[in-house]
Every structure is written in structure tokens, then in C-alpha cells.
Amino acid sequence: MADEEDPTFEEENEEIGGGAEGGQGQRKRLFSKELRRMVYGFGDDQNPYTESVDILEDLVIEFITEMTHRAMAIGRQGRVQVEDIIFLMRKDPAKFARVKDLFTMNEELKRARKAFDEANYDYGS
Amino acid sequence: PGKGRVTGVSGEGGVVPLDPSPSCLDRIPRDRFEELRKACDEEGELRRQDGLRPRAGEEADSSSRHPEAKRRKVATKGKRPRKRAVDELEAQKMRTLMSSMSQEQLDRYEVYRRSAFPKATMKRLIQTVAGSTVSQNTVIAMSGVAKVFVGQVVEEALDVCEKWGETPPLQPKHMREAVRRLRSKGQIPGSKHKKILFF
């Protein structure tokens, strides 16, 4: 009743209190499985600490949130486009190189597929 | 002695880039990793023929979903011998590197290449923040950048961990110190916007 602590509520409280870095609090974990693999690939232990992975997830979500907002503010307003992301990364060499490569790769794939389709079309007729 | 070393790691063909691949290797069974890597290399070489000069040491992999050999017969722009020489040199270095990796290192490298954020979840996250739909390319770009971001944090954290005379697994304190350092280097954006707390 009044004295009784609802155990569910208490659990939630503890989770929020003992949560990860940043003021975001706890939410359902979105990337836990893949993040655990990712940090192993980047050099952490094969069994990383959950608390550390949670911190990373919060960081990633914060990063994506921030970048999405900034992308919407530039270029075509209200839209998130690849060109915007490329521009936003311009001061970070590693990120810039990666996103630019992905973009260029994609353009080339499109060109190749288009040429391939056109070639097929010619043979067909 | 000790851990068995992998022999017969071929690797002839195009360049094996060092950057993580977002998708090329996802759906391939593990034992075909090598074959697929070669197919990706061909894709990468095709891409390079078009004039993109990769950053030294940070060549990107191709995210090919259709590694058919037919692709090479498609007309491309003129070949550039100097670029191919550079690519071949990089490929050589990669071959040497991979042939001297221990099994543990190869395992880790494979996970490094294959790991990626789930596209559907990423798309949902971006669209929730943006309040509108985004293209698949945007999801791919954001996923790729986010992965680099994770790598930067983890590498910095490993550095901190080592400097403090400790060992992996990384602890929250390493992460927090890493974030602090990266923020001062400007590699982690500060918040200009209201944080989304619940979704």
C-alpha cells in the first residue's frame, strides 16, 4: 500500500539512476548486439562490459541526433541528405573520407548498373 | 608455436582496403570471406578507375551487393596506370599484413569489417529525429559515419586504458575519459539542439 515500494518502479528508478553517460537516461537498447561486435572488432575484449557498451550507444544516438538536426538546418532545409552529411564531416578526416567514399561508391554503382542495364537492353532487341 | 597461424591466405587481385565495409560481407558465409573479399576488391578497383584517389591508409571498401564479374565488362572511364600501381602496392601491403596475422587477429579483423548498425533501426532513429522520411543512402551514410565514430571512441578508450596500466575489457571510466579527450579535439560534436529524451 502506501508503505510498500512497488518493485517495478524501484527497478526503473535504479536503472535511470545508474544509467550511462549523458543526460539521456535509459531507454530500450537499440544497438546492443551489433555494438558489442563492433567494439570487439575495434579492439575491445570479445566480451565487453555492458555498462561501457551502453555508454557508447548513448553517445552514438546523441551523435546521430546532433548530425540529423544539423543536416536539416543546411542544404535543403528540413531534409537530411548525403551531401549535407559530407559537408558536416569536413573537419574530421576519418569520417569525411568514409562518407565521401561511400557516396562516390554509390554513384559509381549506379552508373555501372545503368550501363549494364542499357547493354542488356541493346542485346535484347 | 601456440595459436595456429592461417596459411593460404591468398589476396591477389585488387586492393583490400582497411576501412570497415558496411555491407559487402554481411550475407556471405564465413568460409567464403576470402572469395568475397576478392570480389569486393574488383569492385573497389572498378571504382578507383574512375579517378577517386583514396586517402592513404584509409581506402574504403566497396559496398557491392552484386559482385558479379560481369561488372568489369561494363565500360568504365580510361584506366590510369599510376593509380593502378598505387592500388597494387596497397594490395601487396595488405596481403603481407594478412598473411602474418594470427588466427585471433584474423577473427577480429573479420568482425571489424562485417559489423554494422542495423539499417532498419538506424532508419527509424533518423526519421524519428528528422520528423520525415530519409533515403536509403542517408541511412547508409549515417551508419558509416557512426561506425567510424565508434572506432574513434574505442581507440581513444583503449589508449586511455593502456596509459592507466589497465587491460580490456574497457570500463566506463575509460569511455568517459576518451569522450572528454575527443571532445577537446573537436571530434565529438557538442549539442546545439534540444536532446530527444524519449522515443
Side-chain angles (χ1 to χ4, degrees):
Chain A
M1 299 295 261
D3 293 296
E4 229 174 320
E5 289 274 74
D6 181 346
T8 316
F9 181 72
E10 198 171 61
E11 262 173 39
E12 275 178 20
N13 236 4
E14 277 173 8
E15 276 177 20
I16 291 172
E21 159 93 14
Q24 307 253 2
Q26 276 279 359
R27 66 174 74 83
K28 182 169 183 283
R29 291 288 144 194
L30 300 177
F31 302 125
S32 191
K33 191 160 163 262
E34 275 305 327
L35 256 185
R36 296 177 70 86
R37 293 188 71 210
M38 212 178 271
V39 299
Y40 166 61
F42 281 123
D44 197 0
D45 197 84
Q46 204 160 6
N47 292 313
Y49 287 129
T50 304
E51 296 82 356
S52 306
V53 174
D54 286 350
I55 288 176
L56 252 183
E57 169 157 338
D58 287 343
L59 282 167
V60 168
I61 291 176
E62 186 181 331
F63 175 78
I64 291 170
T65 303
E66 184 63 25
M67 287 306 139
T68 302
H69 279 304
R70 293 190 190 186
M72 289 200 295
I74 64 175
R76 202 168 147 209
Q77 311 271 327
R79 303 290 274 176
V80 184
Q81 294 174 306
V82 178
E83 296 87 355
D84 298 335
I85 299 174
I86 293 175
F87 175 76
L88 288 171
M89 299 300 139
R90 67 200 181 282
K91 291 185 184 161
D92 186 324
K95 294 190 187 95
F96 181 73
R98 182 59 179 161
V99 69
K100 198 149 175 297
D101 277 346
L102 284 171
F103 181 67
T104 319
M105 226 187 286
N106 189 58
E107 296 290 295
E108 180 144 337
L109 267 172
K110 281 199 291 197
R111 268 201 299 267
R113 273 194 218 114
K114 185 164 179 281
F116 180 73
D117 288 340
E118 281 169 4
N120 273 353
Y121 177 76
D122 287 340
Y123 293 147
S125 57
Chain B
K3 298 196 167 116
R5 276 155 143 255
V6 175
T7 56
V9 176
S10 58
E12 68 270 19
V15 182
V16 179
L18 297 176
D19 251 36
S21 159
S23 56
C24 174
L25 309 171
D26 279 358
R27 296 176 289 176
I28 308 306
R30 220 199 123 124
D31 57 355
R32 303 201 50 202
F33 179 64
E34 266 306 308
E35 282 181 49
L36 215 292
R37 191 179 53 72
K38 276 197 282 184
C40 287
D41 296 344
E42 288 174 11
E43 173 69 36
E45 195 170 300
L46 177 76
R47 178 175 63 78
R48 276 170 189 81
Q49 283 168 11
D50 210 42
L52 174 71
R53 180 161 147 49
R55 273 179 62 86
E58 276 193 344
E59 294 155 318
D61 191 11
S62 52
S63 55
S64 167
R65 299 189 186 276
H66 310 282
E68 315 99 49
K70 262 188 203 164
R71 183 181 301 283
R72 306 206 67 183
K73 296 189 185 138
V74 167
T76 62
K77 292 191 181 162
K79 294 171 186 178
R80 303 181 192 198
R82 209 177 316 127
K83 240 163 273 291
R84 303 201 77 168
V86 168
D87 290 346
E88 183 52 37
L89 185 63
E90 292 295 328
Q92 176 112 41
K93 290 183 195 167
M94 200 58 204
R95 284 196 291 275
T96 315
L97 181 62
M98 285 191 79
S99 65
S100 58
M101 280 188 186
S102 69
Q103 186 59 50
E104 194 221 335
Q105 287 172 323
L106 283 169
D107 290 345
R108 193 187 293 271
Y109 181 64
E110 185 183 341
V111 172
Y112 160 71
R113 292 286 293 268
R114 285 172 176 252
S115 61
F117 290 107
K119 284 200 170 50
T121 313
M122 185 62 73
K123 182 162 190 167
R124 207 169 357 116
L125 173 59
I126 300 173
Q127 286 183 172
T128 302
V129 175
S132 63
T133 58
V134 295
S135 68
Q136 198 187 30
N137 285 348
T138 301
V139 176
I140 292 174
M142 196 66 91
S143 300
V145 168
K147 184 171 177 181
V148 172
F149 174 69
V150 170
Q152 290 172 320
V153 175
V154 171
E155 281 181 12
E156 189 72 24
L158 285 167
D159 217 43
V160 169
C161 180
E162 193 185 333
K163 277 203 169 74
W164 289 355
E166 292 162 357
T167 61
L170 294 170
Q171 300 167 48
K173 58 178 177 176
H174 302 137
M175 299 300 224
R176 280 189 268 265
E177 176 62 17
V179 169
R180 200 191 58 79
R181 294 189 190 183
L182 290 178
R183 265 197 225 278
S184 69
K185 278 198 259 180
Q187 288 194 334
I188 299 187
S191 175
K192 284 182 183 173
H193 300 273
K194 193 172 135 194
K195 286 190 164 93
I196 300 233
L197 294 179
F198 304 104
F199 54 81

